[in-house]
Amino acid sequence: MATPTSALSPHERTRVEDYLNDKIQVSADFESLDSLLTSLRSQHELQRKQLAEAQEALSKATKASSDHAEATRKRAEAFNEQQADIDRRLKALTGSDASDEAAKRFEASIEKLRRLELSKGYVSLLKEAEELRYLKL
């Protein structure tokens, strides 16, 4: 039958021996051996609980990190899809293969449209002025 210390490494065994030698110096210390063992069991149980809590916290943090990374990846994918869709529309609208060139052509088209709207407004004002001139005559 294996003794409890046989499962310990040589380093751990030495540490236990040093601890016991420190705690049990005289024969009177044997009388407090029960309280010493109870104290050791309490410390061991506390450390087990702390380890379990730390493992649970690590598990939660790992899951939260994973969820965040997945959400970020999905947002990046959606952004890339939207950007690709915008590039396709811009290229189709301007007939250009390069999105930068397409954007310039699109801006030029918008500027022409703005000028056309201004001209239309100017012609409309001239018509109104002409009509007012005929009414006064």
Side-chain angles (χ1 to χ4, degrees), residues 2-10 12-13:
T3 61
T5 58
S6 65
L8 300 176
S9 71
E12 290 171 328
R13 195 174 302 130

Side-chain angles (χ1 to χ4, degrees), residues 9-135:
S9 71
H11 175 71
E12 290 171 328
R13 195 174 302 130
T14 302
R15 288 185 61 203
V16 169
E17 287 175 10
D18 288 345
Y19 180 80
L20 290 175
N21 287 335
D22 182 50
K23 291 293 183 182
I24 304 172
Q25 304 257 334
V26 292
S27 61
D29 290 337
F30 279 109
E31 294 173 10
S32 64
L33 191 57
D34 283 338
S35 65
L36 175 63
L37 289 173
T38 302
S39 172
L40 288 173
R41 285 186 184 115
S42 296
Q43 289 176 8
H44 183 252
E45 188 58 33
L46 177 63
Q47 288 175 344
R48 280 181 166 225
K49 286 179 182 177
Q50 289 173 338
L51 176 61
E53 290 171 359
Q55 287 172 331
E56 184 178 342
L58 174 62
S59 176
K60 287 179 181 177
T62 301
K63 183 177 179 345
S65 174
S66 177
D67 291 348
H68 178 71
E70 180 66 17
T72 301
R73 185 190 62 76
K74 285 181 180 178
R75 284 195 312 267
E77 276 182 11
F79 173 80
N80 288 336
E81 288 173 6
Q82 290 174 347
Q83 185 63 44
D85 185 48
I86 290 170
D87 288 345
R88 277 192 303 276
R89 289 180 188 183
L90 192 56
K91 288 176 186 178
L93 187 62
T94 61
S96 174
D97 290 335
S99 62
D100 290 341
E101 183 181 326
K104 288 178 185 174
R105 286 185 183 179
F106 184 71
E107 288 173 3
S109 296
I110 293 296
E111 181 60 26
K112 285 180 185 177
L113 182 61
R114 187 185 68 78
R115 286 184 193 160
L116 182 61
E117 289 293 324
L118 284 174
S119 298
K120 183 179 172 184
Y122 182 69
V123 168
S124 176
L125 282 175
L126 286 176
K127 283 182 181 178
E128 285 180 31
E130 189 70 26
E131 288 172 5
L132 287 174
R133 193 175 117 204
Y134 283 123
L135 289 176

